[in-house]
């Protein structure tokens, strides 16, 4: 196996044993990026080669000195471009943040730096994380490594494509309505959305603050557990951060799923789910049953309304959060205005792309006088019903299982004409954000060479159980060795200079 | 039914300049999305409180301790325009 397609845990063993240096690893990944990036376009910003190698050498020096190193030391990691990263551009793939250099680090970026992970660049996304295909980036689309004629999913499409294509060993993304899990599903990798509050949102550019959560995109479940362990925990700078202890997510990961009772919400496997996705998920359920899980169909009757509630609540919160882009303090400003008001309006009309403007309009309308109760108030009541239905389900079940997305990756342009066609991608993922629950997506099969994702939803703060279940399935299904059909490059140690 | 006049007001509230054609486009696009989300009205939410937070959390207030903020020049480095250590904007008060 090539270095650039290895796992965090596999590489860490070799780094610790001295069989491999962080510099060699960084070289291999940089070379891979040079080789495939022009086909994939995962990144909106790549750090200078020399900076990356210098950081990697510092990790090697630290290891030579005998310092105690964490599991991410020397691991090349990519960051979604909505994570503030000091000294680097942080654009959210929006023209309105063009030229903005983050003056501080997000807490998760700080955590990675403390662990001596090596940040290699910032990844492409749908502008301000609004979208499900990465086509809404102001810069360029990212292509799916499994079929470059198709989207990688979104909004963390750049992070998912980078990991799938070997351009990073792991990546961070953010998930407001499925933005980690759906691209992970489309790109055949693992994506984890932690419980709301498990990972600090400080320094994550806000989209919908009651739904946003940062999480890992990785090659396997064990890596997701490792990266989650590195970024989870209480942070006084995020008032919604959970003060609970962070467990060792690897401790019980081998314990299997024997005797666990799992529910399959029928509302997430019905109308709108493609036949091939449905049959892959049913096969996965059979395998979980063979592994000893006790599986039943269940019903959460309000789930079909989750998408409607989400497309009121998320735009409403976004319209408020995005009010800060006023052309005054940072980012783009449209020149030549006669008044402050004119500058403000023209800056936003020019700086935001069509989908972001659409959602700001929608959210502003839903919050405006006379419509608040009808839209926002009603959506938040429906949300409470959905939360209660999940609570009730979790009295009986340890976890819930569903498809991650109703289809495999679609073609460029296929869903751009009609916003509703794009939104229905999120039917299986948005209920999880509304209820603040943890959920993981992992590959459960292929159709016409395109990956299909399985979603496992857990109780609040019980990431450990969904990781254990996902790990048991992954080991038994043994799909993890399959890699996208991209051209291969030689091992990273024959350098070009 | 959403009218063009309503959409014009929303654009003004949202501080997003929109041409006449764009406003017409919004009437159709937003109208379709609003028709879809109108299905929320079918859900019985009698006595159901609106969600204020998805998960119950307690004891999350931090101590109120003085901290060092970002330096003025660090913040102003990102400003589109600045003068005398302040953000510079076009005239706010109309003549």
């Amino acid at each position: 196996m090539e270095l650039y397609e290895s796992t965090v845990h596999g590489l860490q063993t070799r780094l610790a044993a001295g069989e491999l240096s962080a510099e060699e690893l960084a070289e291999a990944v940089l070379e891979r990026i040079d080789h495939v990036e022009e086909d994939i376009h995962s990144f909106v910003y790549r750090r200078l080669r020399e900076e990356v190698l210098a950081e990697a050498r510092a990790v090697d020096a630290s290891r030579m000195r005998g310092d105690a190193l964490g599991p991410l030391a020397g691991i090349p990691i990519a960051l979604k471009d909505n994570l503030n990263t000091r000294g680097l551009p942080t654009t959210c793939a929006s023209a309105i943040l063009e030229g903005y250099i983050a003056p501080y680090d997000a807490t998760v970026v700080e955590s990675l730096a403390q662990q001596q992970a090596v940040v290699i660049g910032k990844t492409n996304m749908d502008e301000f994380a609004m979208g499900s295909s990465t086509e809404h980036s102001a810069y360029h689309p990212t292509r799916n490594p499994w079929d470059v004629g198709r989207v990688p999913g979104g909004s963390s499409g750049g992070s998912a494509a980078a990991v799938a294509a070997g351009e990073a060993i792991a990546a961070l993304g953010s998930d407001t309505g499925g933005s980690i899990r759906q691209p992970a599903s489309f790109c055949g990798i693992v994506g984890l959305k932690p419980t709301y509050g498990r990972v600090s949102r400080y320094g994550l550019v806000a989209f919908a603050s009651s739904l946003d959560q940062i999480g890992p995109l990785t090659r396997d479940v064990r890596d997701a557990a490792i990266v989650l362990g590195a970024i989870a925990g209480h942070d006084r700078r995020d008032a919604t951060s959970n003060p609970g202890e962070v467990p060792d997510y690897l401790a019980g990961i081998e314990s299997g799923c024997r005797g666990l009772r799992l529910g399959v919400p029928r509302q997430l496997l019905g109308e709108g789910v493609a036949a091939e996705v449905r049959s892959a998920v049913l096969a996965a359920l059979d395998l979980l049953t063979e592994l000893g899980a006790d599986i039943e169909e269940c019903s959460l009757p309000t789930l079909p309304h989750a998408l409607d509630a989400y497309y009121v609540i998320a735009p409403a919160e976004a319209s408020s959060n995005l009010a800060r882009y006023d052309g005054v303090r940072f980012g783009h400003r449209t020149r030549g205005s006669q008044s402050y008001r004119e500058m403000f309006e023209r800056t936003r009309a020019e700086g935001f792309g069509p989908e972001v403007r659409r959602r700001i309009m929608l959210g502003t309308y839903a919050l405006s006088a006379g419509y608040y109760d009808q839209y926002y108030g009603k959506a938040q009541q429906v949300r409470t019903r959905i939360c209660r239905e999940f609570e009730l389900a979790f009295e009986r079940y340890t976890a819930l299982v569903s498809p991650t997305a109703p289809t495999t990756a679609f073609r460029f342009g296929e869903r751009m004409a009609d916003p509703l066609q794009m939104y229905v991608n999120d039917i299986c993922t948005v209920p999880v954000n509304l209820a603040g629950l943890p959920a993981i997506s992992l590959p459960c099969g292929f159709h016409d060479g395109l990956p299909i994702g399985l979603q496992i939803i857990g109780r609040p703060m019980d990431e450990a159980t969904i990781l254990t279940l996902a790990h048991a399935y992954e080991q038994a299904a043994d799909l993890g060795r399959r890699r996208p059909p991209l051209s291969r490059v030689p091992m990273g140690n024959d350098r070009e200079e | 039914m959403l009218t063009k006049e309503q959409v014009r007001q929303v654009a003004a509230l949202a501080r997003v300049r929109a041409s006449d054609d764009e406003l017409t486009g919004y009437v159709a696009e937003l109208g379709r999305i609003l028709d879809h989300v109108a299905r929320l009205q079918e859900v019985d939410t009698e006595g159901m409180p609106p969600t204020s937070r998805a998960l119950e959390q307690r004891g999350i207030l931090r101590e109120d301790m003085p901290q060092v903020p970002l330096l003025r020049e660090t913040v102003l480095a990102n400003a589109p325009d600045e003068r005398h250590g302040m953000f510079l904007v076009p005239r706010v008060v109309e003549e």
Side-chain angles (χ1 to χ4, degrees):
Chain A
M1 194 196 295
E2 305 288 350
L3 284 176
Y4 58 74
E5 57 185 20
S6 307
T7 56
V8 173
H9 58 90
L11 290 165
Q12 201 46 254
T13 308
R14 296 179 60 187
L15 287 165
E19 296 166 22
L20 172 70
S21 72
E23 187 179 8
E24 285 169 321
L25 175 57
E27 282 275 10
V29 171
L30 290 171
E31 195 174 326
R32 175 66 173 175
I33 294 172
D34 287 341
H35 198 77
V36 302
E37 178 62 4
E38 100 185 274
D39 293 329
I40 305 299
H41 298 295
S42 301
F43 292 93
V44 290
Y45 178 80
R46 287 160 63 180
R47 285 182 70 201
L48 293 174
R49 181 184 183 81
E50 270 318 308
E51 277 174 25
V52 173
L53 293 180
E55 267 188 32
R57 280 193 295 269
V59 178
D60 289 329
S62 179
R63 195 182 300 278
M64 292 288 278
R65 284 197 304 271
D67 297 350
L69 297 180
L72 293 180
I75 301 294
I77 286 188
L79 302 175
K80 188 175 182 177
D81 202 35
N82 57 357
L83 295 166
N84 273 280
T85 313
R86 192 173 54 208
L88 301 188
T90 298
T91 69
C92 295
S94 178
I96 211 160
L97 277 173
E98 196 152 11
Y100 170 75
I101 305 292
Y104 69 103
D105 275 330
T107 298
V108 292
V109 176
E110 231 172 56
S111 304
L112 292 180
Q114 273 160 16
Q115 302 243 357
Q116 293 183 271
V118 177
V119 170
I120 48 175
K122 307 293 291 287
T123 57
N124 199 21
M125 55 190 282
D126 287 294
E127 184 179 357
F128 283 104
M130 297 177 192
S132 312
S133 69
T134 315
E135 290 169 286
H136 292 300
S137 164
Y139 298 107
H140 49 73
T142 294
R143 296 179 181 151
N144 191 314
W146 294 89
D147 176 350
V148 294
R150 290 173 190 270
V151 304
S155 66
S156 312
S159 287
V163 172
E167 297 183 285
I169 304 302
L172 294 187
S174 66
D175 190 316
T176 304
S179 282
I180 289 173
R181 290 160 288 158
Q182 184 257 19
S185 169
F186 279 15
C187 290
I189 61 167
V190 174
L192 173 67
K193 177 209 129 21
T195 310
Y196 185 73
R198 179 72 291 187
V199 175
S200 168
R201 291 182 294 111
Y202 179 77
L204 167 68
V205 178
F207 161 14
S209 305
S210 79
L211 305 163
D212 298 341
Q213 188 62 192
I214 300 166
L217 294 106
T218 58
R219 299 228 165 89
D220 71 4
V221 175
R222 186 176 286 274
D223 279 4
I226 291 169
V227 179
L228 177 64
I231 59 172
H234 183 243
D235 179 13
R236 59 202 299 278
R237 294 173 296 188
D238 172 1
T240 61
S241 166
N242 192 298
E245 283 294 301
V246 179
D248 177 355
Y249 293 112
L250 289 175
I253 203 163
E254 304 273 4
S255 58
C257 55
R258 186 156 299 280
L260 296 184
R261 190 182 278 175
L262 309 181
V264 181
R266 78 167 64 100
Q267 290 80 5
L268 300 183
L269 207 51
E271 207 186 325
V273 176
E276 60 272 15
V277 172
R278 188 183 162 81
S279 65
V281 169
L282 292 176
L285 294 174
D286 286 344
L287 183 54
L288 284 165
T289 306
E290 270 177 53
L291 294 170
D294 183 5
I295 299 181
E296 283 176 10
E297 191 181 84
C298 64
S299 179
L300 284 76
T302 309
L303 288 189
H305 294 283
L307 194 70
D308 293 320
Y310 177 85
Y311 277 98
V312 172
I313 295 165
E317 293 186 18
S319 73
S320 164
N321 274 325
L322 271 61
R324 75 193 64 184
Y325 303 100
D326 56 3
V328 173
R329 290 155 299 154
F330 43 75
H332 173 76
R333 170 187 292 186
T334 300
R335 305 279 162 184
S337 298
Q338 298 306 306
S339 71
Y340 174 74
R341 170 89 181 226
E342 185 191 346
M343 184 273 284
F344 199 162
E345 292 185 341
R346 288 176 58 204
T347 293
R348 288 163 67 81
E350 265 184 30
F352 291 134
E355 179 64 17
V356 173
R357 276 181 281 143
R358 187 181 295 134
R359 294 208 198 183
I360 289 173
M361 293 284 290
L362 187 60
T364 304
Y365 178 75
L367 291 175
S368 62
Y371 298 97
Y372 183 94
D373 289 338
Q374 185 185 345
Y375 292 106
Y376 191 73
K378 183 73 181 181
Q380 291 285 35
Q381 285 183 298
V382 171
R383 183 178 185 180
T384 303
R385 264 192 85 117
I386 290 167
C387 291
R388 290 186 182 177
E389 287 174 10
F390 272 116
E391 272 169 42
L392 203 63
F394 283 121
E395 283 177 18
R396 182 166 173 87
Y397 304 107
T398 310
L400 303 173
V401 185
S402 78
T404 304
T407 66
T408 54
F410 45 88
R411 292 183 189 284
F412 287 100
E414 210 176 292
R415 306 201 177 199
M416 286 293 273
D418 179 3
L420 285 168
Q421 279 300 305
M422 193 67 90
Y423 300 169
V424 296
N425 265 294
D426 307 339
I427 48 172
C428 301
T429 45
V430 294
V432 173
N433 299 76
L434 290 174
L437 302 169
I440 191 167
S441 175
L442 74 161
C444 71
F446 289 84
H447 178 72
D448 285 345
L450 297 172
I452 297 169
L454 181 73
Q455 175 173 246
I456 306 175
I457 307 165
R459 292 172 175 153
M461 302 298 279
D462 194 13
E463 284 81 1
T465 298
I466 58 173
L467 285 162
T468 301
L469 270 161
H471 182 73
Y473 173 80
E474 179 185 67
Q475 295 300 305
D478 201 24
L479 294 160
R481 267 177 248 278
R482 202 156 157 180
R483 298 280 180 243
L486 279 173
S487 51
R488 298 190 167 238
V489 292
M491 288 290 274
N493 47 9
D494 54 2
R495 292 171 200 165
E496 280 170 55
E497 293 90 30
Chain B
M1 265 306 282
L2 202 59
T3 66
K4 195 161 164 184
E5 197 39 46
Q6 280 178 305
V7 171
R8 194 191 308 277
Q9 282 169 15
V10 171
L13 279 173
R15 302 285 190 271
V16 177
R17 183 155 290 204
S19 68
D20 210 56
D21 283 354
E22 283 171 320
L23 291 174
T24 308
Y26 282 131
V27 172
E29 268 177 17
L30 300 182
R32 267 180 37 73
I33 298 169
L34 290 170
D35 283 349
H36 200 275
V37 304
R39 300 188 314 175
L40 286 170
Q41 305 306 329
E42 296 164 13
V43 184
D44 178 10
T45 51
E46 190 63 40
M48 201 58 72
T51 299
S52 53
R53 52 174 73 101
L55 299 168
E56 213 38 62
Q57 283 170 327
R58 285 190 199 86
I60 49 173
L61 294 181
R62 62 172 166 78
E63 278 181 70
D64 189 16
M65 301 278 281
Q67 287 175 66
V68 184
L70 292 173
L71 293 172
R72 178 183 286 246
E73 44 273 35
T74 309
V75 174
L76 285 171
N78 271 309
D81 220 342
E82 53 114 359
R83 196 175 298 168
H84 310 310
M86 289 176 278
F87 297 113
L88 186 66
V89 296
R91 178 184 294 275
V92 176
V93 182
E94 314 260 330
E95 284 176 275

